[in-house]
């Protein structure tokens, strides 16, 4: 297989190093990642300035852009052959529920999907993640399964509990849960006396019952959620037509 790896934490992240190490057993691995942490970048593409591609001493490529830029650049111009799979991660923290809208990790995988490549995003659910090897092993299992039994063009969002591999109970297919609304802005003052603001933390889990990604991870299972791009509210179409009539 030809596997393209990216992330949103930057090419220096321990998660992407562990992922690359694990997936080299399954084919030719190319890493193209942002030059710095771009968490929360979502699906943004850089259109107002040129992108530059550089190579780090460890062989990884890095780009002065977003996660979506990295995958777009690699698939549409850098690589001689379209990869067989895009794998994004291992993210330093969860990407469950509403997180997927903002996540640069998910966005990198989504860019691969939009370009016709089967893609998955993998995240390690912890504020201080430790079990990178376990998450990498889970990613390797999924890539191996895709190699022997292709799913076709898919976009999978994978969240792994921060546990040793032997303590993970299994893999569950889930739907996205929902979070409470975000916490308030954090207001502060910089050294010049100017008022500054930090975006508040994400809200806690609201819809987290059985069948959700939140519930699976809480119970010690890997959560795998198939995602789609169509945001149309089909149930609202008739109501909107009536409102406009």
């Amino acid at each position: 297989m030809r596997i393209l790896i990216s992330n949103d934490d930057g090419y220096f992240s321990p998660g992407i190093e562990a992922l690359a190490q694990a997936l080299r057993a399954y084919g030719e691995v190319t890493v193209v990642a942002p030059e710095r942490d771009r968490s929360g970048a979502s699906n943004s593409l850089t259109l107002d300035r040129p992108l530059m591609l550089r190579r780090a001493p460890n062989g990884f490529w890095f780009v002065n852009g977003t996660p979506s830029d990295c995958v777009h650049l690699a698939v549409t111009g850098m690589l001689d052959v379209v990869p067989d799979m895009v794998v994004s991660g291992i993210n330093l923290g969860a990407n469950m529920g509403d997180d997927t809208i903002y996540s640069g990790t998910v966005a990198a995988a989504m860019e691969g999907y939009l370009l016709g490549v089967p893609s998955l995003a993998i995240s390690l659910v912890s504020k201080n993640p430790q079990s990178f090897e376990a998450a990498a092993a889970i990613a390797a299992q999924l890539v191996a399964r895709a190699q022997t039994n292709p799913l076709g063009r898919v976009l999978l969002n994978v969240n792994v509990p921060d546990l040793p591999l032997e303590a993970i109970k299994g893999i569950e297919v889930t739907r996205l849960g929902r979070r409470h609304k975000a916490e308030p802005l954090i207001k502060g003052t910089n050294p010049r006396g100017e008022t500054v603001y930090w975006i508040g933390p994400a809200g806690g889990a609201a819809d987290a019952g059985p069948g959700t990604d939140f519930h699976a991870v809480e119970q010690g299972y890997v959560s795998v959620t198939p995602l789609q791009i169509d945001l149309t509210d089909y149930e609202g179409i008739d109501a909107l037509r009536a409102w406009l009539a």
Side-chain angles (χ1 to χ4, degrees), residues 148-235:
T148 58
N149 186 22
L151 266 175
R153 184 176 173 233
V154 294
L155 174 59
L156 303 180
N157 186 41
V158 182
N159 282 274
V160 182
D162 192 15
L163 299 169
L165 186 62
E166 61 273 14
I168 294 175
K169 296 179 180 178
I171 298 176
E172 286 192 359
V173 177
T174 61
R175 65 175 176 86
L176 297 180
R178 293 291 304 274
R179 289 191 182 276
H180 292 289
K181 69 177 185 178
E183 298 295 323
L185 283 170
I186 300 170
K187 186 177 179 180
T189 305
N190 69 13
R192 297 183 179 181
E194 299 166 320
T195 300
V196 296
Y197 300 92
W198 289 92
I199 297 294
D207 176 7
T212 66
D213 45 8
F214 288 106
H215 187 269
V217 171
E218 178 66 25
Q219 297 301 310
Y221 291 87
V222 175
S223 162
V224 180
T225 306
L227 302 182
Q228 63 180 4
I229 307 301
D230 187 352
L231 300 179
T232 305
D233 177 7
Y234 289 99
E235 293 182 358

Side-chain angles (χ1 to χ4, degrees), residues 2-207:
R2 294 178 295 272
I3 304 168
L4 173 63
I5 292 178
S6 192
N7 73 353
D8 71 353
D9 292 313
Y11 73 94
F12 45 80
S13 167
I16 203 169
E17 176 66 39
L19 185 62
Q21 290 280 8
L23 297 190
R24 286 192 181 107
Y26 299 92
E28 178 185 337
V29 168
T30 303
V31 177
V32 184
E35 68 177 357
R36 61 182 178 87
D37 187 348
R38 296 305 304 265
S39 298
S42 189
N43 297 86
S44 58
L45 289 172
T46 300
L47 304 177
D48 61 346
R49 57 183 172 82
L51 297 173
M52 298 184 68
L53 181 68
R54 296 186 175 92
R55 197 165 196 176
N58 64 356
F60 292 177
W61 295 92
F62 61 94
V63 177
N64 60 330
T66 66
S68 295
D69 287 332
C70 294
V71 174
H72 193 92
L73 184 154
V75 174
T76 65
M78 171 192 168
L79 299 175
D80 294 330
V81 181
V82 174
D84 299 301
M85 196 165 196
V86 172
V87 183
S88 179
I90 299 167
N91 190 63
L92 310 182
N95 276 309
M96 299 187 292
D98 307 346
D99 302 342
T100 56
I101 300 297
Y102 304 99
S103 168
T105 303
V106 174
M110 191 177 294
E111 190 66 21
Y113 172 82
L114 290 171
L115 294 170
V117 182
S119 302
L120 69 87
I122 184 159
S123 304
L124 189 53
V125 182
S126 174
K127 293 183 178 179
N128 183 28
Q130 302 295 321
S131 302
F132 293 109
E133 290 75 15
I138 295 296
Q141 289 177 26
L142 296 172
V143 168
R145 186 177 291 263
Q147 189 176 44
T148 58
N149 186 22
L151 266 175
R153 184 176 173 233
V154 294
L155 174 59
L156 303 180
N157 186 41
V158 182
N159 282 274
V160 182
D162 192 15
L163 299 169
L165 186 62
E166 61 273 14
I168 294 175
K169 296 179 180 178
I171 298 176
E172 286 192 359
V173 177
T174 61
R175 65 175 176 86
L176 297 180
R178 293 291 304 274
R179 289 191 182 276
H180 292 289
K181 69 177 185 178
E183 298 295 323
L185 283 170
I186 300 170
K187 186 177 179 180
T189 305
N190 69 13
R192 297 183 179 181
E194 299 166 320
T195 300
V196 296
Y197 300 92
W198 289 92
I199 297 294
D207 176 7

